[in-house]
Amino acid sequence: MISAFAIQLILAHLIGDFVFHPDTWVQHKLQTKIRSKYLYYHMGVHIIALLLLLGFKNLWAVPIIIVSHYLIDLGKLYTTNAKNYRWVFTLDQLLHLGVIFFVIHLHETLEFDFQKFFDTPTLLFITFLVFVTFVSAIMMRMLLAPYIQEVQKDDEAEGGSLKDAGRYIGMLERLFVFGFILLDQWAAIGLLITAKSVFRFGDLNKGKNRKLTEYVLIGTLLSFGLAILSGVLYLYLLPLI
């Protein structure tokens, strides 16, 4: 059961790190590091958010979170560069959340059953997630290999596209389809296909590129087909465990 204390700490973090954290503060901190006044304004926002949400109760948690937040942010400021900023940001947030869950554990003695991460239903679910995302992407690349190079030339001549955009779009659409099947929302799959068709129709119609149109159609049908088969097979295997 999620307690009010846990929600208060997480909400305070979200408010301090995302709601009241302007880009100007972020840029100034990256430039001047520990000397930035906005680093301390940022800590002040977190303190205020914690005090207001906690109602000035459980104040022992505030210094733990603030001091750790300050040290983690300092580490982020001195290690971030143009190449690793996304990974550093992710690690930064994971460390903040780790401290928050540690504080919650001190307050409520949380019990985590790590064995549940290795039981058969969980492993089956993770297996299908890996298949729907990464494995299906490689399978589609192999099946469409005879057409990829030819279509890429035509696409580049018309302006090209974002790097790896198609790969991530495919992963996301298969995850959506897989999730809709688990939720027994088949109509939502039709809505997703319609939405994708609307977005792609303008480009394909404007370019009048029959090869690209056929390639997109084949790729879409393969992507949705693999996701649907994965969802149906998962639901079939789950009761057998």
Side-chain angles (χ1 to χ4, degrees):
M1 182 177 181
I2 301 177
S3 68
F5 181 70
I7 296 175
Q8 289 163 349
L9 295 186
I10 294 173
L11 179 57
H13 172 73
L14 297 178
I15 291 173
D17 254 21
F18 296 96
V19 180
F20 295 106
H21 196 196
D23 289 338
T24 53
W25 291 18
V26 176
Q27 294 304 320
H28 192 275
K29 288 192 297 180
L30 288 172
Q31 292 172 3
T32 57
K33 308 275 189 304
I34 196 172
R35 295 181 289 107
S36 174
K37 62 182 180 181
Y38 294 116
L39 175 61
Y40 304 97
Y41 290 176
H42 181 55
M43 295 301 109
V45 170
H46 275 280
I47 292 173
I48 294 172
L50 284 169
L51 292 177
L52 291 177
L53 288 171
L54 291 174
F56 292 87
K57 299 177 181 178
N58 296 309
L59 296 182
W60 59 269
V62 177
I64 298 176
I65 292 176
I66 296 302
V67 172
S68 63
H69 198 107
Y70 176 76
L71 295 175
I72 293 170
D73 275 14
L74 271 185
K76 179 181 69 173
L77 293 177
Y78 282 97
T79 56
T80 300
N81 57 50
K83 294 182 179 180
N84 69 3
Y85 70 95
R86 289 182 296 179
W87 298 107
V88 173
F89 171 81
T90 302
L91 179 60
D92 169 77
Q93 292 301 315
L94 289 175
L95 289 174
H96 290 320
L97 291 176
V99 172
I100 289 173
F101 283 112
F102 172 72
V103 172
I104 296 172
H105 176 71
L106 292 178
H107 182 258
E108 303 173 7
T109 312
L110 296 177
E111 295 183 1
F112 295 99
D113 187 2
F114 290 100
Q115 291 300 321
K116 289 185 178 180
F117 290 101
F118 301 100
D119 61 13
T120 305
T122 302
L123 290 175
L124 180 67
F125 181 70
I126 294 174
T127 300
F128 273 91
L129 284 183
V130 172
F131 178 82
V132 166
T133 52
F134 297 97
V135 179
S136 294
I138 295 174
M139 289 178 61
M140 289 180 58
R141 192 185 311 157
M142 295 299 176
L143 292 171
L144 296 173
Y147 317 108
I148 290 177
Q149 189 173 3
E150 187 174 358
V151 171
Q152 281 180 340
K153 291 180 179 178
D154 295 335
D155 192 35
E156 290 173 0
E158 296 180 3
S161 62
L162 295 175
K163 183 181 178 181
D164 294 330
R167 177 187 177 190
Y168 293 120
I169 291 172
M171 286 184 177
L172 289 172
E173 72 182 20
R174 288 191 296 276
L175 282 174
F176 275 119
V177 172
F178 185 70
F180 288 146
I181 292 175
L182 299 193
L183 295 173
D184 197 25
Q185 296 294 324
W186 289 86
I189 299 176
L191 180 62
L192 186 61
I193 296 176
T194 302
K196 183 176 181 180
S197 301
V198 170
F199 281 118
R200 293 293 310 200
F201 177 77
D203 294 334
L204 298 175
N205 187 51
K206 181 179 179 181
K208 296 181 180 179
N209 189 331
R210 183 174 179 179
K211 293 179 183 178
L212 181 59
T213 303
E214 292 172 343
Y215 175 81
V216 171
L217 180 59
I218 294 172
T220 298
L221 293 176
L222 277 174
S223 182
F224 278 80
L226 287 171
I228 291 172
L229 286 175
S230 299
V232 172
L233 183 58
Y234 172 79
L235 292 177
Y236 174 78
L237 293 176
L238 189 60
L240 302 179
I241 295 176

